[in-house]
Amino acid sequence: MLAVADRSTRSLAMLVVIDGPVFHGDSDESHFFEWLAELPSFEKVVGVGTQLEVSLREPVDDATALGLLALCDRWRIDMSPLRAIRSKGNEAWFASPQRWFYTQLWSKRHD
């Protein structure tokens, strides 16, 4: 079961910078930002050049971590910046080689 923390008890403390996705229409872009905004730890997002600065409240709950992984997978965004979300509380599943996202998250990129 995924834990969801109460937003009011957390402080803004983490900034994750990801590559901006390629959108294939206005509705595609709307869906991306709506999904991002629905994540429990989400605070705000700011576009800087071709990147997105995603501000999260800590501790980042499991639902948000998994949601960010799914967003990056769906929009083909490099997951490596999400490594910063790993914590003692989530590492059993977040760093597990058996998880569907493990290779994308933890393998070194060869650009």
Side-chain angles (χ1 to χ4, degrees):
M1 178 174 231
L2 298 177
V4 179
D6 177 14
R7 282 186 187 206
S8 64
T9 62
R10 295 181 281 164
S11 62
L12 182 61
M14 180 178 286
L15 181 68
V16 177
V17 180
I18 60 173
D19 294 331
V22 174
F23 298 116
H24 301 285
D26 292 339
S27 65
D28 192 38
E29 183 175 5
S30 294
H31 289 301
F32 176 85
F33 287 106
E34 287 169 8
W35 191 356
L36 184 62
E38 290 175 359
L39 298 174
S41 294
F42 175 80
E43 181 64 26
K44 69 178 181 175
V45 62
V46 176
V48 178
T50 61
Q51 296 185 314
L52 299 175
E53 293 181 348
V54 181
S55 299
L56 304 170
R57 293 185 181 275
E58 286 194 310
V60 176
D61 61 280
D62 290 352
T64 296
L66 191 56
L68 286 169
L69 291 163
L71 272 171
C72 287
D73 182 60
R74 183 175 301 257
W75 272 274
R76 296 185 175 126
I77 299 169
D78 176 21
M79 290 183 184
S80 63
L82 302 182
R83 293 174 187 165
I85 296 173
R86 181 181 182 173
S87 68
K88 289 182 181 181
N90 71 19
E91 76 179 327
W93 69 267
F94 196 76
S96 172
Q98 285 75 42
R99 297 303 293 235
W100 62 267
F101 52 80
Y102 182 83
T103 300
Q104 291 174 271
L105 180 62
W106 298 106
S107 293
K108 294 186 184 205
R109 291 185 53 138
H110 300 285
D111 295 314

